[in-house]
């Protein structure tokens, strides 16, 4: 089947029910998306399908056919999206393993809500577990990124 | 800063062999010479950790495992500061498993405290060799040259040479005498004590960081293993036909029977081997296995707790004694006693265990998210008929560890399967595997009984710790506790006590027991600091004031002489360098009192609690503020204060303390592994919940500025969290919870 991932077309030979996560990781070698629970409980495997955050560990690859899939590798070629920069400026990661999923969830939040409150952030990020405990820094990074993204928007308009 | 992979062959040949033929003084700035440098850019080894390349880059080995605690960055900071290198010109090389580095067991919060002197020596030694090389080149005395910021300067004329220019000549210098090395003063530190961003920061925000589960090799197969749910059970028979019918499945292999003692061995189960992880998991679901569950099939953790609680009420093996406890109780105005319980717990790192191996007739190479590559070498050597030093272990980043990944069981599985198949195999655990097949934190019971006089001073203190020892994993019939377990927050009480009796008992227990972030400090600190809070309330003294009374005057406590606890370990440190100091406890208390007003009048249902605990030779105080309303608990704020001596990377110290509060809250609020009919009941994050963002209180961390020798950081933040929390709940509600987790009483 044909998949469009990070604006590139890929051909994969996979059964329809194979989770998108394992297609990305094992068939296409895109290892930035991580496995955490296999049940859609921890958010580690979050990717976007047509701009919507999806838990790729429970999303059959068939769902992604004729869709735009975005993974952590597609957020910004150099890693310079304001969210990624804010993540680094706040020294968010500890082990780093869940951060791809965290960033993908944060990206979705900020594309729908440019000025999230603490509660908005809690609710958007509640599906993403970080066992190291980087939540306070994630929250701060989201707020910092929101500011920069709003300034950028202002500058463009 | 680059992360940089070094081939084993290259690693072994980096012994100062002249290869590049580069001339000293050759400028590295022109393009033409750049090309030559790339071609001849051989690393010149100054010692086992440091090599300098002609292009002016310096390879520095990190020999410790990075699992989020920041060791990889801290190790480089300690070497780089004394080496006086430019941070941007460092290639960080992850060291292979090799005893030459000293211990690589990344456990016990040791990466800084056990290597602070050694790694600074390593850096200073390499810098001295660069200075010796420059002196030789300029034909001046070594006292006439000085290294600074990646150059060596000739003090007689101001000329300078880049480190890269000196690489070859430096590698030929004699190894300096350690006694003659010079070190920076703290004012001169450039990296140590500075919040240096972690080495892998950029990769971790772009999905490029590589963990054990991400290992890719030519022809790599993936294994998913259905393991016997009961320890020491075995496979009676199995039908692989369903599994083999799944597209992508290439083989089904019976794993070796679990032998006693289990230690870190691969054990009973059936492995499905496939070309990808999903096919392996699907094949596994299609297996039909008949188990012989064996001798432990009736084990029940509830029954174990009932047994342990009863043991805790009765005299047991004595390990500590001070004064006359009978007289102490006889003269007491008031006697209190209580029993506390902490359940079995699982580590649940976000990356489940994962390892790959390639075994041939003559070699064994491993890629693993391991906290302890040397234990891997020791554990697999016999499996493949090689000596430990012949096993090549590549250590990946770890997606969390918390103690789980210091056990080599999952690596042994990969080695076993690769040997069977003669192909590279990666074993990937599911979350269910991780929770059901852990090396669990020991479920524990503690009993404390104390008598106080009319001033609330302690006249008698009797305590018992009962839990399965970690030793049961290595010697299953062990029914007492190790001295090291009793050294973790038990027989090292920092309070003024007229008399003391410390007793303990093990519990023969048929699950694998392992160490989890701060280990026995968790149940010991929970009991000790809850009980002190109970004493304070019983005597109508605010706990923070009562703590000051119990610390009494500034003094050093020696459990060996003060409490007769001959087996005291002090985290494998001397009491001279790392004493138990009441002054340092009080300084942490002072700082907490400056941060929080414990006596403030709060709305009904709100309250503060605190606990201060020394572990891994660092002191951490935690203050918690909670609200309980209509049966719902909200943790409003948590503040940690740490005295860990010199904080090599204050930002990572803060992040570890933030993480420790969250880890501690997870276990206090929700952590619980149950074992029924010999098997773990929990299976994934729905029934083994860990803290999520919306449950996370406002957090703050303060670091006490100190010149004391560094202590541990990764673990000491955890033990005070649970008692601080239950003490806050007591202040808020008047209800005392002595058994964790709290979600059995309150909605969290």
């Amino acid at each position: 089947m044909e998949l469009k991932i990070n604006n590139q077309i890929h051909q994969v030979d996979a059964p329809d029910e194979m989770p998108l996560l394992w297609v990305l990781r094992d068939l296409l070698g895109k290892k930035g998306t991580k496995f955490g629970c296999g049940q859609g409980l921890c958010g580690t495997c979050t990717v976007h399908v047509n701009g919507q955050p999806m838990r790729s560990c429970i999303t059959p690859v068939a769902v992604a056919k004729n869709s735009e899939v975005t993974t952590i590798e597609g957020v910004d070629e150099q890693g310079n999206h304001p969210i990624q920069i804010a993540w680094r400026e706040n020294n968010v990661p500890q082990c780093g393993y869940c951060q791809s999923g965290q960033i993908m969830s944060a990206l979705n939040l900020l594309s729908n809500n440019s000025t999230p409150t603490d509660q908005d952030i809690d609710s958007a990020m509640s599906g993403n577990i970080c066992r190291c405990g980087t939540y306070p820094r994630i929250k701060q990074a989201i707020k910092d990124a929101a500011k920069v993204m709003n300034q950028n928007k202002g500058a463009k308009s | 800063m680059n992360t940089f992979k070094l081939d084993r062959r290259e690693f072994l040949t980096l012994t100062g062999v002249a290869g590049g033929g580069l001339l000293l003084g050759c400028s590295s700035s022109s393009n033409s010479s750049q090309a030559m440098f790339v071609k001849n850019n051989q690393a010149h080894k100054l010692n086992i950790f440091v090599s300098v390349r002609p292009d002016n880059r310096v390879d520095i080995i990190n020999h410790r495992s990075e699992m989020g605690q920041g060791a990889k960055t801290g190790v480089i900071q300690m070497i780089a500061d004394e080496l006086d290198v430019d941070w941007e010109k460092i290639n960080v090389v992850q060291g292979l498993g090799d005893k030459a580095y000293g211990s690589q067991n990344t456990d016990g919060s040791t990466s800084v405290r056990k290597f602070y002197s050694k790694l600074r020596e390593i850096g200073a030694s390499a810098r001295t060799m660069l200075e010796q090389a420059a002196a030789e080149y300029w034909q001046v005395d070594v006292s006439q040259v000085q290294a600074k910021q990646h150059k060596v300067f000739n003090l007689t004329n101001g000329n300078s040479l880049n480190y890269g220019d000196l690489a070859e000549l430096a590698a030929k210098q004699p190894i300096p005498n350690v006694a003659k090395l010079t070190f920076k003063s703290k004012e001169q530190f450039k990296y140590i004590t500075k919040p240096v961003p972690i080495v892998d920061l950029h990769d971790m925000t772009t999905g490029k960081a590589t963990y054990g589960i991400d290992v890719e090799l030519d022809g790599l197969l993936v294994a998913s293993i259905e393991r016997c749910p009961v320890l020491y059970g075995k496979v009676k028979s199995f039908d692989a036909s369903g599994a083999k019918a799944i597209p992508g499945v290439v083989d089904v292999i019976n794993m070796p029977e679990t032998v006693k003692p289990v230690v870190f061995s691969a054990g009973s189960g059936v492995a499905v081997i496939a070309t990808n992880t999903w096919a392996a998991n699907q094949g596994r679901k299609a297996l039909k296995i008949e188990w012989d569950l064996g001798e432990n099939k009736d084990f029940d953790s509830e029954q174990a707790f009932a047994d342990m609680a009863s043991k805790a009420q009765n005299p047991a093996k004595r390990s500590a004694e001070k004064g006359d406890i009978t007289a102490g109780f006889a003269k007491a105005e008031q006697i209190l006693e209580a029993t506390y319980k902490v359940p079995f717990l699982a580590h649940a790192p976000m990356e489940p265990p994962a390892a790959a191996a390639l075994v041939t007739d003559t070699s064994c190479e491993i890629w693993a998210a391991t906290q302890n590559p040397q234990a891997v070498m020791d554990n697999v050597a016999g499996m493949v008929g090689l000596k430990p030093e012949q096993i090549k272990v590549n250590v990946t980043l770890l997606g969390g560890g918390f103690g789980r990944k210091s056990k080599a069981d999952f690596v042994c599985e990969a080695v076993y399967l690769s040997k069977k198949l003669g192909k590279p195999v990666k074993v990937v655990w599911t979350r269910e595997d991780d929770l059901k097949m852990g090396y669990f934190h020991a479920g524990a019971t503690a009993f404390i009984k104390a008598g106080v006089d009319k001033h609330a001073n302690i006249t008698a203190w009797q305590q018992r710790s009962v839990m399965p020892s970690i030793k049961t994993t290595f010697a299953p019939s062990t029914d007492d506790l190790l001295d090291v377990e009793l050294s973790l927050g038990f027989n090292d009480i920092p309070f003024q006590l007229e008399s003391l009796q410390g007793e303990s008992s093990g519990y023969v227990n048929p699950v694998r027991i392992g160490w989890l972030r701060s280990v026995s400090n968790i149940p010991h600190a929970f009991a000790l600091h809850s009980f002190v809070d109970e004493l304070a309330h019983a005597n109508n003294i605010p706990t923070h004031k009562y703590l000051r009374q119990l610390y009494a005057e500034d003094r050093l406590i020696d459990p060996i002489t003060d409490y007769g606890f001959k087996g005291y370990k002090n985290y494998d440190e001397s009491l001279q360098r790392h004493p138990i100091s009441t002054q340092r406890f009080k300084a942490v208390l002072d700082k907490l009192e400056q941060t929080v007003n414990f006596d403030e009048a709060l709305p009904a249902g709100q309250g503060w609690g605190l606990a201060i605990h020394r572990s891994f030779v660092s002191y951490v105080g935690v203050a918690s503020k909670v609200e309980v309303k209509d049966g719902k608990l909200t943790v409003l704020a948590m503040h940690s204060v740490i005295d860990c001596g010199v904080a090599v990377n204050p930002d990572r110290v803060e992040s570890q303390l933030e993480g420790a509060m969250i880890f501690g809250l997870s276990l206090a609020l929700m952590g619980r592994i149950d074992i029924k009919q010999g098997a773990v009941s929990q299976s994934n994050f729905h029934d083994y919940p860990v803290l999520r963002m919306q449950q996370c209180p406002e957090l703050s961390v303060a670091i006490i500025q100190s010149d004391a020798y560094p202590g541990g950081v990764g673990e000491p933040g955890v033990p005070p969290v649970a008692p601080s929390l239950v003490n806050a709940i007591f202040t808020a509600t008047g209800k005392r919870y002595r058994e964790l987790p709290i979600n059995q009483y309150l909605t969290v």
Side-chain angles (χ1 to χ4, degrees), chain A residues 19 25-26 34 36-37 39 41 84 88 91 93-96 126 131-132 135 137, chain B residues 202 204-205 211 213-214 277-278 347 431 651-652 655-656 658-659 684 691-692 694:
Chain A
R25 288 181 54 83
D26 287 2
K34 305 299 185 194
C37 71
Q39 303 280 347
L41 297 167
Q84 292 167 308
R88 294 196 289 272
N91 289 315
Q94 289 186 31
C95 86
S126 67
R131 184 67 163 143
C132 295
Y135 299 130
R137 295 185 188 220
Chain B
H202 196 277
M204 285 174 177
T205 59
Y211 301 83
I213 199 171
D214 299 326
T277 316
W278 187 69
H347 307 76
R431 178 57 56 195
D651 176 69
R652 289 301 90 181
S655 69
Q656 281 306 289
E658 290 161 9
N684 209 315
L691 207 79
R692 291 175 186 268
Q694 74 273 21

Short mmCIF file of all heavy atoms in Angstrom, two decimals, chain A residues 19 25-26 34 36-37 39 41 84 88 91 93-96 126 131-132 135 137, chain B residues 202 204-205 211 213-214 277-278 347 431 651-652 655-656 658-659 684 691-692 694:
data_model
loop_
_atom_site.label_atom_id
_atom_site.label_comp_id
_atom_site.label_asym_id
_atom_site.label_seq_id
_atom_site.Cartn_x
_atom_site.Cartn_y
_atom_site.Cartn_z
N PRO A 19 -0.53 -2.43 13.11
CA PRO A 19 -0.53 -1.06 13.65
C PRO A 19 0.48 -0.16 12.94
O PRO A 19 1.59 -0.59 12.61
CB PRO A 19 -0.16 -1.26 15.12
CG PRO A 19 -0.55 -2.66 15.43
CD PRO A 19 -0.30 -3.43 14.16
N ARG A 25 8.08 1.84 12.36
CA ARG A 25 9.34 1.46 13.00
C ARG A 25 10.06 0.31 12.29
O ARG A 25 11.24 0.38 12.01
CB ARG A 25 9.09 1.05 14.46
CG ARG A 25 8.75 2.22 15.38
CD ARG A 25 8.54 1.74 16.81
NE ARG A 25 9.69 0.98 17.28
CZ ARG A 25 10.80 1.52 17.78
NH1 ARG A 25 10.90 2.83 17.91
NH2 ARG A 25 11.81 0.75 18.15
N ASP A 26 9.31 -0.76 12.03
CA ASP A 26 9.97 -1.98 11.57
C ASP A 26 10.01 -2.09 10.04
O ASP A 26 10.93 -2.71 9.50
CB ASP A 26 9.27 -3.22 12.14
CG ASP A 26 9.56 -3.42 13.63
OD1 ASP A 26 10.28 -2.58 14.20
OD2 ASP A 26 9.08 -4.41 14.20
N LYS A 34 7.95 5.95 19.29
CA LYS A 34 8.33 4.88 20.23
C LYS A 34 7.15 4.04 20.67
O LYS A 34 6.01 4.49 20.69
CB LYS A 34 8.99 5.51 21.47
CG LYS A 34 10.17 6.42 21.20
CD LYS A 34 11.32 5.70 20.52
CE LYS A 34 12.53 6.60 20.38
NZ LYS A 34 13.54 6.08 19.46
N GLY A 36 5.28 2.19 23.79
CA GLY A 36 5.24 2.30 25.25
C GLY A 36 4.31 1.29 25.90
O GLY A 36 4.64 0.74 26.95
N CYS A 37 3.14 1.05 25.32
CA CYS A 37 2.18 0.18 26.02
C CYS A 37 1.41 -0.74 25.09
O CYS A 37 0.89 -1.76 25.53
CB CYS A 37 1.21 1.03 26.84
SG CYS A 37 0.02 1.95 25.83
N GLN A 39 -1.47 -0.32 23.98
CA GLN A 39 -2.92 -0.28 24.25
C GLN A 39 -3.49 1.14 24.15
O GLN A 39 -4.62 1.37 24.58
CB GLN A 39 -3.19 -0.79 25.68
CG GLN A 39 -2.68 -2.18 25.97
CD GLN A 39 -3.61 -3.26 25.44
OE1 GLN A 39 -4.75 -2.98 25.05
NE2 GLN A 39 -3.13 -4.49 25.37
N LEU A 41 -2.54 3.69 25.89
CA LEU A 41 -2.68 4.20 27.26
C LEU A 41 -1.63 5.23 27.64
O LEU A 41 -1.81 5.95 28.62
CB LEU A 41 -2.59 3.03 28.25
CG LEU A 41 -3.67 1.96 28.15
CD1 LEU A 41 -3.28 0.72 28.98
CD2 LEU A 41 -5.01 2.50 28.63
N GLN A 84 10.09 22.40 19.59
CA GLN A 84 11.35 21.68 19.84
C GLN A 84 12.37 22.60 20.50
O GLN A 84 13.12 22.20 21.40
CB GLN A 84 11.90 21.11 18.53
CG GLN A 84 11.02 19.98 17.98
CD GLN A 84 11.36 19.62 16.55
OE1 GLN A 84 11.41 20.49 15.68
NE2 GLN A 84 11.58 18.34 16.29
N ARG A 88 14.11 22.32 24.26
CA ARG A 88 15.55 22.36 24.58
C ARG A 88 15.86 23.48 25.55
O ARG A 88 16.66 23.31 26.47
CB ARG A 88 16.36 22.50 23.29
CG ARG A 88 16.24 21.27 22.39
CD ARG A 88 17.31 21.24 21.33
NE ARG A 88 17.16 22.25 20.29
CZ ARG A 88 16.43 22.08 19.18
NH1 ARG A 88 15.78 20.95 18.97
NH2 ARG A 88 16.37 23.03 18.28
N ASN A 91 15.28 22.45 28.89
CA ASN A 91 15.95 21.18 29.25
C ASN A 91 14.92 20.15 29.69
O ASN A 91 15.04 19.54 30.76
CB ASN A 91 16.97 21.40 30.37
CG ASN A 91 18.18 22.17 29.88
OD1 ASN A 91 18.72 21.88 28.82
ND2 ASN A 91 18.57 23.18 30.63
N PRO A 93 13.86 17.00 28.46
CA PRO A 93 14.00 15.54 28.53
C PRO A 93 14.89 15.07 29.67
O PRO A 93 15.85 15.74 30.04
CB PRO A 93 14.66 15.17 27.19
CG PRO A 93 14.44 16.32 26.29
CD PRO A 93 14.42 17.53 27.19
N GLN A 94 14.52 13.92 30.23
CA GLN A 94 15.46 13.18 31.07
C GLN A 94 15.93 11.99 30.24
O GLN A 94 16.90 12.11 29.52
CB GLN A 94 14.80 12.79 32.40
CG GLN A 94 14.60 14.03 33.30
CD GLN A 94 14.09 13.71 34.68
OE1 GLN A 94 14.36 12.67 35.24
NE2 GLN A 94 13.31 14.63 35.25
N CYS A 95 15.19 10.86 30.28
CA CYS A 95 15.62 9.76 29.40
C CYS A 95 15.26 10.04 27.95
O CYS A 95 15.88 9.51 27.03
CB CYS A 95 15.04 8.43 29.86
SG CYS A 95 13.39 8.04 29.23
N GLY A 96 14.25 10.87 27.72
CA GLY A 96 13.91 11.31 26.37
C GLY A 96 12.97 10.41 25.61
O GLY A 96 12.46 10.79 24.56
N SER A 126 -2.86 14.83 29.00
CA SER A 126 -3.14 13.81 30.01
C SER A 126 -2.94 12.39 29.49
O SER A 126 -2.77 11.45 30.27
CB SER A 126 -4.57 13.96 30.54
OG SER A 126 -5.48 13.67 29.50
N ARG A 131 7.47 8.79 32.66
CA ARG A 131 7.83 8.12 33.91
C ARG A 131 8.97 8.84 34.63
O ARG A 131 9.12 8.74 35.84
CB ARG A 131 8.20 6.67 33.59
CG ARG A 131 8.51 5.78 34.76
CD ARG A 131 7.31 5.52 35.64
NE ARG A 131 7.51 4.37 36.53
CZ ARG A 131 7.05 4.31 37.78
NH1 ARG A 131 6.39 5.33 38.28
NH2 ARG A 131 7.25 3.23 38.50
N CYS A 132 9.82 9.55 33.87
CA CYS A 132 10.90 10.32 34.51
C CYS A 132 10.33 11.51 35.27
O CYS A 132 10.99 12.02 36.17
CB CYS A 132 11.89 10.85 33.47
SG CYS A 132 12.81 9.58 32.59
N TYR A 135 6.89 16.55 33.59
CA TYR A 135 5.65 17.32 33.36
C TYR A 135 5.78 18.83 33.57
O TYR A 135 5.31 19.61 32.73
CB TYR A 135 4.51 16.78 34.23
CG TYR A 135 4.15 15.34 33.99
CD1 TYR A 135 4.06 14.44 35.05
CD2 TYR A 135 3.89 14.86 32.70
CE1 TYR A 135 3.71 13.10 34.84
CE2 TYR A 135 3.56 13.52 32.49
CZ TYR A 135 3.47 12.66 33.56
OH TYR A 135 3.13 11.34 33.37
N ARG A 137 8.23 20.79 33.27
CA ARG A 137 9.02 21.42 32.21
C ARG A 137 8.28 21.35 30.87
O ARG A 137 8.39 22.26 30.05
CB ARG A 137 10.39 20.76 32.12
CG ARG A 137 11.21 21.01 33.39
CD ARG A 137 12.61 20.47 33.24
NE ARG A 137 13.32 20.56 34.52
CZ ARG A 137 14.60 20.91 34.63
NH1 ARG A 137 15.32 21.18 33.56
NH2 ARG A 137 15.17 20.97 35.81
N HIS B 202 19.37 17.53 21.68
CA HIS B 202 18.82 17.79 20.35
C HIS B 202 18.20 16.52 19.77
O HIS B 202 17.07 16.54 19.26
CB HIS B 202 19.91 18.34 19.42
CG HIS B 202 19.35 18.97 18.18
ND1 HIS B 202 19.00 18.23 17.07
CD2 HIS B 202 19.06 20.26 17.87
CE1 HIS B 202 18.52 19.04 16.13
NE2 HIS B 202 18.54 20.28 16.59
N MET B 204 16.98 14.06 21.28
CA MET B 204 15.77 13.65 22.00
C MET B 204 14.55 14.48 21.62
O MET B 204 13.43 14.10 21.91
CB MET B 204 16.00 13.74 23.51
CG MET B 204 16.86 12.61 24.05
SD MET B 204 17.23 12.87 25.80
CE MET B 204 18.15 11.37 26.15
N THR B 205 14.78 15.62 20.98
CA THR B 205 13.64 16.44 20.54
C THR B 205 13.35 16.26 19.06
O THR B 205 12.44 16.89 18.52
CB THR B 205 13.87 17.94 20.83
OG1 THR B 205 15.06 18.35 20.15
CG2 THR B 205 14.03 18.19 22.32
N TYR B 211 17.57 4.06 21.35
CA TYR B 211 17.43 3.27 22.58
C TYR B 211 17.61 1.79 22.23
O TYR B 211 17.72 1.42 21.06
CB TYR B 211 16.07 3.55 23.20
CG TYR B 211 15.88 5.01 23.54
CD1 TYR B 211 15.47 5.93 22.56
CD2 TYR B 211 16.17 5.49 24.81
CE1 TYR B 211 15.34 7.28 22.85
CE2 TYR B 211 16.03 6.84 25.12
CZ TYR B 211 15.62 7.74 24.13
OH TYR B 211 15.50 9.07 24.43
N ILE B 213 15.47 -0.56 22.11
CA ILE B 213 14.40 -1.07 21.24
C ILE B 213 14.61 -0.63 19.79
O ILE B 213 14.00 -1.20 18.88
CB ILE B 213 13.03 -0.59 21.79
CG1 ILE B 213 11.88 -1.45 21.23
CG2 ILE B 213 12.81 0.88 21.51
CD1 ILE B 213 10.54 -1.17 21.88
N ASP B 214 15.47 0.36 19.57
CA ASP B 214 15.66 0.92 18.22
C ASP B 214 16.80 0.27 17.44
O ASP B 214 17.05 0.66 16.30
CB ASP B 214 15.95 2.43 18.32
CG ASP B 214 14.82 3.20 18.98
OD1 ASP B 214 13.66 2.81 18.79
OD2 ASP B 214 15.10 4.19 19.67
N THR B 277 8.21 -6.83 14.77
CA THR B 277 7.71 -6.95 16.15
C THR B 277 6.24 -7.36 16.18
O THR B 277 5.83 -8.18 17.01
CB THR B 277 7.88 -5.59 16.88
OG1 THR B 277 9.17 -5.07 16.59
CG2 THR B 277 7.73 -5.75 18.38
N TRP B 278 5.48 -6.78 15.28
CA TRP B 278 4.04 -7.07 15.31
C TRP B 278 3.76 -8.52 14.97
O TRP B 278 2.95 -9.19 15.62
CB TRP B 278 3.30 -6.14 14.35
CG TRP B 278 1.82 -6.27 14.46
CD1 TRP B 278 1.03 -5.88 15.51
CD2 TRP B 278 0.94 -6.83 13.48
NE1 TRP B 278 -0.28 -6.17 15.25
CE2 TRP B 278 -0.37 -6.74 14.02
CE3 TRP B 278 1.12 -7.39 12.22
CZ2 TRP B 278 -1.49 -7.19 13.30
CZ3 TRP B 278 0.02 -7.83 11.52
CH2 TRP B 278 -1.28 -7.74 12.06
N HIS B 347 8.96 -1.23 38.16
CA HIS B 347 9.71 -0.05 37.70
C HIS B 347 8.98 0.68 36.58
O HIS B 347 8.95 1.90 36.55
CB HIS B 347 11.09 -0.46 37.20
CG HIS B 347 11.88 -1.29 38.15
ND1 HIS B 347 11.61 -2.63 38.39
CD2 HIS B 347 12.92 -0.98 38.94
CE1 HIS B 347 12.47 -3.10 39.28
NE2 HIS B 347 13.28 -2.13 39.64
N ARG B 431 4.56 -4.13 27.27
CA ARG B 431 4.31 -3.54 28.59
C ARG B 431 3.80 -4.61 29.56
O ARG B 431 4.16 -4.61 30.74
CB ARG B 431 3.27 -2.40 28.47
CG ARG B 431 2.89 -1.73 29.80
CD ARG B 431 4.10 -1.15 30.51
NE ARG B 431 4.83 -0.23 29.66
CZ ARG B 431 6.06 0.19 29.90
NH1 ARG B 431 6.70 -0.20 30.99
NH2 ARG B 431 6.66 1.01 29.06
N ASP B 651 21.26 21.77 37.09
CA ASP B 651 20.00 21.58 36.36
C ASP B 651 19.56 20.12 36.40
O ASP B 651 18.37 19.82 36.53
CB ASP B 651 20.13 22.04 34.91
CG ASP B 651 18.85 21.74 34.14
OD1 ASP B 651 17.83 22.39 34.44
OD2 ASP B 651 18.86 20.82 33.29
N ARG B 652 20.52 19.20 36.29
CA ARG B 652 20.14 17.78 36.36
C ARG B 652 19.77 17.37 37.78
O ARG B 652 18.98 16.47 37.98
CB ARG B 652 21.25 16.89 35.80
CG ARG B 652 21.43 16.96 34.28
CD ARG B 652 20.18 16.56 33.51
NE ARG B 652 19.31 17.70 33.23
CZ ARG B 652 18.13 17.61 32.58
NH1 ARG B 652 17.68 16.46 32.16
NH2 ARG B 652 17.41 18.69 32.37
N SER B 655 16.25 18.45 37.96
CA SER B 655 15.36 17.60 37.19
C SER B 655 15.19 16.23 37.87
O SER B 655 14.11 15.65 37.84
CB SER B 655 15.84 17.44 35.74
OG SER B 655 17.02 16.68 35.68
N GLN B 656 16.25 15.73 38.49
CA GLN B 656 16.13 14.46 39.21
C GLN B 656 15.19 14.59 40.42
O GLN B 656 14.43 13.68 40.72
CB GLN B 656 17.50 13.96 39.67
CG GLN B 656 18.30 13.30 38.58
CD GLN B 656 17.51 12.18 37.92
OE1 GLN B 656 17.28 11.13 38.48
NE2 GLN B 656 17.03 12.41 36.70
N GLU B 658 12.75 16.82 40.70
CA GLU B 658 11.38 16.94 40.15
C GLU B 658 10.86 15.54 39.82
O GLU B 658 9.75 15.15 40.18
CB GLU B 658 11.39 17.80 38.87
CG GLU B 658 11.66 19.28 39.11
CD GLU B 658 12.12 20.03 37.86
OE1 GLU B 658 12.08 19.44 36.75
OE2 GLU B 658 12.54 21.19 37.99
N GLY B 659 11.70 14.80 39.11
CA GLY B 659 11.31 13.45 38.71
C GLY B 659 11.06 12.54 39.91
O GLY B 659 10.16 11.71 39.91
N ASN B 684 -0.95 -3.46 32.60
CA ASN B 684 -0.61 -2.31 31.75
C ASN B 684 -0.94 -1.04 32.54
O ASN B 684 -1.29 -1.12 33.73
CB ASN B 684 -1.36 -2.38 30.42
CG ASN B 684 -0.59 -1.71 29.27
OD1 ASN B 684 -0.06 -0.61 29.42
ND2 ASN B 684 -0.52 -2.39 28.13
N LEU B 691 1.82 8.53 37.59
CA LEU B 691 1.30 9.90 37.61
C LEU B 691 1.19 10.51 36.22
O LEU B 691 2.09 10.32 35.39
CB LEU B 691 2.21 10.78 38.47
CG LEU B 691 1.50 11.97 39.11
CD1 LEU B 691 0.72 11.51 40.34
CD2 LEU B 691 2.49 13.05 39.51
N ARG B 692 0.11 11.19 35.96
CA ARG B 692 -0.08 11.92 34.71
C ARG B 692 -0.05 13.42 34.99
O ARG B 692 -0.14 13.85 36.14
CB ARG B 692 -1.41 11.52 34.05
CG ARG B 692 -1.38 10.08 33.54
CD ARG B 692 -2.72 9.64 33.00
NE ARG B 692 -2.71 8.23 32.64
CZ ARG B 692 -2.41 7.75 31.41
NH1 ARG B 692 -2.14 8.59 30.43
NH2 ARG B 692 -2.41 6.46 31.19
N GLN B 694 -2.04 15.91 34.77
CA GLN B 694 -3.10 16.60 35.51
C GLN B 694 -3.07 16.30 37.00
O GLN B 694 -3.70 16.99 37.79
CB GLN B 694 -4.48 16.30 34.91
CG GLN B 694 -5.02 14.91 35.19
CD GLN B 694 -4.56 13.87 34.17
OE1 GLN B 694 -3.56 14.06 33.50
NE2 GLN B 694 -5.27 12.76 34.08
#
